[in-house]
Amino acid sequence: MRIKGKSLKENLTGYLFIAPQLLLFLVFVVYPIFEGIRLSLYKINYQQETFIGFENYSRLFADDVFVKSTLNTVIFVILIVALTVVFALFVSASIFDKNAKYVSFIRGSYYIPVMVSMVVMSMIWSFLLNPANGLIPYAARQMEMASVNFLGDTTLVLPVIIFITFATNVGSAIILYIAAMIGVPKDVFEAAEIDGASRLKVIFKILIPMVKPTTIYIIIMNIIAVLKIFVVIQLLTGGGPNNASTTLMYFLYNNAFKYNQLGIASAVGVIMFLIALVLSIPQLRAMFKKD
Amino acid sequence: MFGRRNKNKKKLEKIDIIFNGLVIFFAALNLFPLYWLFTSSLKNSSDVVKMPPDWFPKSITFSNYVDVFNNQPAFRWAFNSIVVSLVSTIALIIVSCLAAYAFSKLRFRGRNVIFIIFISSLMVPKEVMIVPLFRIIQDFGMVNSLNGMIWPNVATAFGVFMMKGFFDSIPDSLRESAKIDGASEFTVFYKIMMPMVKPGIGALFILNFVQVWNDYLWQLVVGQDESSKTLMVGIATLMQDLNPNFAYKMAGATVAAIPMLVIFIFFQKYFTSGISIGAVKE
């Protein structure tokens, strides 16, 4: 009897401690997920909601802009993640065993664009790329290149957005890799040194395999981050020209807040939610194995 | 470190030097847009569009900054950003520490299941549920209010995940001996545990403050009228402004960037430790 009373009290204390977080979580995370799924099955006109089953979804797949946005998002994800991993590995493998001040200086230099936010970076890039008076079109004209309208050209706009997003966000991956590489036991390198392994060999045969868990983490976190890419599209291209740079998140936003197509927007949200969930399963598994 | 005392060190060093040369070159290239931002904001409106450009501003003027604060409610935007970032971060720290302490030190039914559900939510961006989230905010009457920006931010499980690691590192015996002395659970939490996780709270504070400050989409959706715009949303409207004066727009962007740069310069170690917490280590 006493034991039961004690465990009841302990239960209650636990619940009280998690109550504020749990309440916020239920209201702003759990409920929106279920409500989002429900809304995706409705046609919504202002106050009126009509149940239409999966019609929003079938309309989506027949919509060229949606298909284009999905395609663009996939291209963004693959290229940005690949660039990020390769470049971050290159930078961190080059500097991780150097003087601490140098490491923190380089790390800082690459992380500062992450700090100052995508909004500010988008503004700078829009200035740099401005066809009339931007520095980059000016340089392109000096080199007598054909196109100077980088954001107005359907073939150039994707590479430009990919580059800007990559350059603004690669800093986090560099921080993660440097932390992981500094954590690799020193005697591994000493053994390689005695064997006369070249630096390139050490990087490819020891360093990169040793930081594999970090690589998986970076890949998953970046896929999810790129999935919701929005600011740079809204501020630089508005999805154009001719939807060449529209992404899923931008498509969702337009449907929700410009065209008042809440059912359609919810269906896009549900699709993105499922993608993020599936992608995160390996990462979640790794996180729980640790406990 | 390696190769230094080795016989074939010349060749090794060479590749290392080339790599590091490239790393420094790319770092400079990476910082150039920010350099261009600052110097452009100090130029006058005709010099900023001059081609060929002035790599260093010929004459420095602060009039663009004066204009931003005179022509735009920039103080109001900055005030809103500070309130939203500060209040949501403090609230996040309070609710996260309470919950993280419970998940780390208390035994209660359903603890593991609830924790797993919490952590799983970390992987799903809240932006994808923006429609139902906006409707909730509407139902609460929080559109165009800072409250509407604050509370969904506090609902993230990131703080719980991060702080649980810090509570886990404190031995249970500390809690047990305090309990034997008759301390209540809350006293143990508040008087003994909280001071011990201060480094974690510091890192969480900085990371979350910066994240909320730099958030854009949600603040754009919730803060639609002039009085509830935040700095990020406000300066983004500057950009869509038809005013052709780029120096002026760059001054606005600089105003939004400077607080984050200052925070980064003073608290770099918090970022490097905080960001690595989520990563899996072997």
Side-chain angles (χ1 to χ4, degrees):
Chain A
M1 200 54 208
R2 274 193 55 182
I3 291 165
K4 212 175 177 184
K6 193 178 168 242
S7 83
L8 191 75
K9 197 178 160 231
E10 177 119 6
N11 272 338
L12 196 67
T13 321
Y15 294 141
L16 277 176
F17 269 85
I18 66 166
Q21 176 84 62
L22 192 62
L23 184 71
L24 287 165
F25 187 75
L26 290 174
V27 174
F28 293 116
V29 179
V30 177
Y31 172 76
I33 292 171
F34 289 103
E35 176 70 356
I37 295 170
R38 188 186 72 83
L39 289 176
S40 77
L41 304 175
Y42 281 79
K43 187 178 172 68
I44 302 156
N45 293 323
Y46 302 96
Q47 295 305 321
Q48 214 182 358
E49 293 178 1
T50 332
F51 182 80
I52 53 165
F54 287 97
E55 205 183 299
N56 285 326
Y57 292 92
S58 57
R59 270 179 64 195
L60 272 181
F61 290 105
D63 180 347
D64 288 342
V65 182
F66 174 77
V67 174
K68 184 86 196 158
S69 324
T70 311
L71 204 66
N72 286 341
T73 306
V74 171
I75 295 172
F76 279 142
V77 165
I78 293 171
L79 291 180
I80 293 170
V81 172
L83 269 173
T84 302
V85 168
V86 171
F87 188 76
L89 270 173
F90 164 74
V91 171
S92 347
S94 306
I95 68 164
F96 80 99
D97 58 345
K98 303 292 183 290
N99 169 308
K101 277 220 172 88
Y102 172 69
V103 172
S104 95
F105 172 74
I106 294 293
R107 188 169 52 193
S109 310
Y110 286 103
Y111 195 69
I112 279 174
V114 184
M115 280 297 296
V116 301
S117 101
M118 212 61 213
V119 174
V120 173
M121 291 312 287
S122 299
M123 287 179 80
I124 306 173
W125 281 104
S126 113
F127 177 48
L128 284 168
L129 289 165
N130 187 291
N133 47 37
L135 194 60
I136 294 168
Y138 167 77
R141 273 195 299 272
Q142 294 303 103
M143 291 186 285
E144 298 184 354
M145 277 157 69
S147 174
V148 290
N149 191 1
F150 290 91
L151 296 173
D153 185 313
T154 45
T155 51
L156 283 177
V157 69
L158 277 194
V160 171
I161 299 282
I162 287 167
F163 176 78
I164 293 172
T165 312
F166 151 74
T168 306
N169 293 313
V170 70
S172 319
I174 291 176
I175 285 189
L176 286 167
Y177 270 135
I178 293 175
M181 287 176 184
I182 288 175
V184 174
K186 297 277 173 287
D187 47 349
V188 181
F189 297 119
E190 276 154 22
E193 189 181 340
I194 290 161
D195 292 344
S198 73
R199 186 168 174 101
L200 272 182
K201 213 167 199 160
V202 169
I203 290 174
F204 281 102
K205 293 274 149 78
I206 300 174
L207 212 46
I208 293 178
M210 292 281 259
V211 297
K212 200 177 145 209
T214 307
T215 305
I216 295 170
Y217 178 77
I218 289 173
I219 290 174
I220 291 167
M221 292 325 251
N222 271 283
I223 293 175
I224 293 168
V226 176
L227 197 64
K228 57 174 193 175
I229 181 171
F230 171 79
V231 178
V232 66
I233 306 296
Q234 199 211 18
L235 294 186
L236 282 184
T237 68
N242 194 18
N243 293 317
S245 63
T246 310
T247 57
L248 278 176
M249 196 61 224
Y250 191 68
F251 182 81
L252 195 167
Y253 172 84
N254 276 345
N255 275 288
F257 299 102
K258 269 196 194 149
Y259 315 144
N260 204 20
Q261 296 281 345
L262 295 183
I264 291 277
S266 300
V268 180
V270 171
I271 292 169
M272 292 176 74
F273 169 77
L274 291 176
I275 297 171
L277 203 64
V278 169
L279 288 171
S280 59
I281 287 171
Q283 182 60 30
L284 289 171
R285 214 179 261 163
M287 275 159 82
F288 294 127
K289 214 161 61 187
K290 204 168 48 170
D291 287 346
Chain B
M1 185 178 77
F2 39 83
R4 219 158 269 168
R5 290 172 305 276
N6 210 302
K7 269 190 185 145
N8 48 5
K9 68 174 179 186
K10 287 240 159 58
K11 208 179 165 195
L12 297 179
E13 294 273 336
K14 209 167 160 187
I15 245 195
D16 208 13
I17 289 167
I18 295 171
F19 275 19
N20 278 283
L22 282 172
V23 165
I24 294 168
F25 171 74
F26 287 134
L29 213 59
N30 196 45
L31 291 177
F32 178 78
L34 284 160
Y35 169 78
W36 207 236
L37 169 76
F38 289 128
T39 51
S40 301
S41 72
L42 298 170
K43 291 174 180 174
N44 62 46
S45 56
S46 57
D47 283 350
V48 75
V49 293
K50 203 168 79 185
M51 290 297 153
D54 293 335
W55 297 102
F56 306 100
K58 283 233 169 60
S59 61
I60 288 178
T61 170
F62 290 97
S63 63
N64 301 308
Y65 290 92
V66 176
D67 286 350
V68 167
F69 284 99
N70 278 343
N71 303 347
Q72 306 287 341
F75 282 115
R76 175 86 217 182
W77 297 340
F79 173 79
N80 287 344
S81 278
I82 290 169
V83 170
V84 170
S85 311
L86 208 60
V87 175
S88 55
T89 303
I90 291 169
L92 176 82
I93 287 172
I94 295 169
V95 299
S96 305
C97 284
L98 282 168
Y101 174 75
F103 285 124
S104 173
K105 296 280 179 263
L106 305 178
R107 303 275 167 274
F108 55 92
R109 199 183 284 269
R111 183 179 81 143
N112 290 335
V113 177
I114 299 173
F115 186 67
I116 286 174
I117 295 170
F118 263 38
I119 299 310
S120 308
S121 76
L122 272 180
M123 298 294 164
V124 179
K126 74 169 190 293
E127 285 84 350
V128 305
M129 288 302 151
I130 199 160
V131 174
L133 210 48
F134 183 71
R135 283 165 61 109
I136 296 170
I137 292 300
Q138 242 173 349
D139 291 343
F140 287 165
M142 288 180 178
V143 176
N144 286 323
S145 97
L146 302 186
N147 268 319
M149 299 175 201
I150 291 168
W151 298 105
N153 275 316
V154 185
T156 169
F158 177 72
V160 177
F161 179 57
M162 190 171 158
M163 293 313 299
K164 182 174 179 285
F166 284 91
F167 283 115
D168 283 346
S169 67
I170 300 174
D172 286 346
S173 55
L174 221 65
R175 169 177 171 257
E176 278 146 23
S177 59
K179 296 274 286 192
I180 288 164
D181 291 346
S184 76
E185 199 66 62
F186 188 76
T187 311
V188 176
F189 164 74
Y190 186 70
K191 289 265 168 68
I192 299 173
M193 297 290 182
M194 284 297 270
M196 295 186 80
V197 295
K198 264 188 190 152
I201 294 174
L204 180 57
F205 186 96
I206 301 225
L207 280 174
N208 195 69
F209 188 91
V210 171
Q211 207 207 312
V212 178
W213 180 278
N214 284 341
D215 187 21
Y216 174 74
L217 180 54
W218 184 243
Q219 295 172 3
L220 171 74
V221 166
V222 175
Q224 294 159 342
D225 67 0
E226 272 309 321
S227 67
S228 62
K229 269 187 189 159
T230 55
L231 196 53
M232 283 304 154
V233 178
I235 65 139
T237 57
L238 272 193
M239 194 180 130
Q240 290 148 335
D241 201 324
L242 290 174
N243 184 343
N245 185 355
F246 273 96
Y248 167 70
K249 296 178 186 191
M250 292 299 106
T254 310
V255 170
I258 279 180
M260 298 300 99
L261 289 177
V262 172
I263 288 179
F264 184 66
I265 289 162
F266 285 106
F267 301 105
Q268 205 197 134
K269 71 169 174 150
Y270 285 114
F271 288 94
T272 47
S273 64
I275 291 164
S276 342
I277 280 168
V280 184
K281 291 196 184 87
E282 270 191 337

